[in-house]
Amino acid sequence: MPLEAGLLEILACPACHAPLKEAEDELVCTAKDCALAYPIRDGIPVLLVDEARRPA
């Protein structure tokens, strides 16, 4: 489910404050050093570092 228009413009990675990009059912940090992936559950981004997936 895509996020509302304009929402990605104001969201940032809680760990490093870099912009996020939407990828399927998660938001991925655009910083190469961080690259955490945050889940989107029921259309709501879960921006908790403890819930984030580390890059493979």
Side-chain angles (χ1 to χ4, degrees), residues 14 36-39 41 46-54:
L36 291 174
Y38 299 93
R41 294 189 187 126
V46 181
L47 298 177
L48 300 171
V49 175
D50 292 341
E51 295 283 327
R53 179 180 59 79
R54 295 273 175 201

Side-chain angles (χ1 to χ4, degrees), residues 6-23:
L7 185 59
L8 279 179
E9 294 175 17
I10 60 172
L11 292 179
C13 176
C16 71
H17 308 291
L20 297 168
K21 67 178 178 181
E22 192 169 6

Side-chain angles (χ1 to χ4, degrees), residues 1-9 11 19-30 36-41 43-45:
M1 170 185 285
L3 296 176
E4 288 185 32
L7 185 59
L8 279 179
E9 294 175 17
L11 292 179
L20 297 168
K21 67 178 178 181
E22 192 169 6
E24 294 184 24
D25 59 347
E26 59 189 13
L27 294 176
V28 180
C29 178
T30 58
L36 291 174
Y38 299 93
I40 300 174
R41 294 189 187 126
I44 301 169

